[in-house]
């Protein structure tokens, strides 16, 4: 497996992969597919933080993660997600590699923190903790411990306030 930046040629495969990864009987087109398409069209899209995992031959996209521009108390930060892994490659370390790579790339770009909505058990292994531990207020208070942040090298304790995802998260 290789993790690399997404190219324009990857977009159809990434959209299809996202659909497969989030498919359910009651949602023929998962909301994550629409969200990803809307994020691509927004000014919050950060192409350097849209990453794919390709198989050992470099031919097939087997995973994808994206971080988009967000804000915490008015400070630019990034929000991670969606994270998609092909069903046949889940629980094989693809998601782990994608998240580690996204965190490293965001850190190298000088981002102060990454936020996400997800399982504390899963994301805790990457150093994510409840946003309230860092005085970051989740967009929805009901999210509680599921809204988490991971400080990076550019983080300072003065960064605090209400978190705001990119606009498509509000619409989709």
């Amino acid at each position: 497996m290789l993790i690399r930046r997404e190219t324009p040629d990857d977009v159809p495969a990434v959209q299809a992969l996202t659909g497969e990864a989030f498919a359910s009987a009651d949602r023929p087109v998962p909301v994550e597919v629409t969200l990803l398409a809307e994020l691509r069209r927004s000014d919050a899209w950060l192409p350097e933080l849209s990453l794919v995992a390709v198989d050992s031959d470099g031919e097939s996209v087997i995973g994808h993660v994206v971080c988009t521009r967000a804000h915490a108390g008015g400070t630019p930060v990034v929000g991670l997600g969606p994270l998609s892994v092909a069903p046949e490659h889940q629980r094989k370390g693809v998601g782990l590699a994608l998240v580690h790579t996204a965190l490293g790339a965001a850190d190298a770009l000088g981002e102060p923190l990454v936020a996400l909505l997800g399982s504390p058990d899963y994301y805790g292994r990457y150093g994510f903790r409840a946003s309230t531990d860092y005085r970051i207020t989740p967009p929805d208070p009901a999210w509680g411990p599921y809204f988490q942040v991971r400080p990076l090298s550019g983080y300072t304790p003065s960064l605090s306030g209400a978190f705001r995802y990119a606009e498509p998260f509000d619409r989709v």
Side-chain angles (χ1 to χ4, degrees), residues 84-122:
S84 308
V85 177
E88 65 274 17
H89 291 280
Q90 292 176 1
R91 294 175 177 63
K92 296 181 180 177
V94 176
L96 182 72
L98 282 164
V99 173
H100 275 300
T101 304
L103 291 172
D107 193 49
L109 291 169
E111 298 293 342
L113 68 79
V114 176
L116 59 79
L117 180 63
S119 165
D121 291 337
Y122 182 80

Side-chain angles (χ1 to χ4, degrees), residues 6-62:
E6 176 191 272
T7 68
D9 290 342
D10 295 324
V11 173
V14 168
Q15 288 295 115
L17 166 76
T18 303
E20 292 172 22
F22 289 98
S24 66
D26 61 325
R27 291 190 311 168
V29 177
V31 68
E32 292 83 1
V33 173
T34 305
L35 175 61
L36 189 55
E38 291 294 320
L39 286 169
R40 281 183 200 288
R41 289 190 284 270
S42 82
D43 60 358
W45 185 256
L46 301 171
E48 60 274 17
L49 293 177
S50 181
L51 307 168
V52 294
V54 293
D55 64 10
S56 57
D57 296 332
E59 297 295 320
S60 299
V61 174
I62 61 173

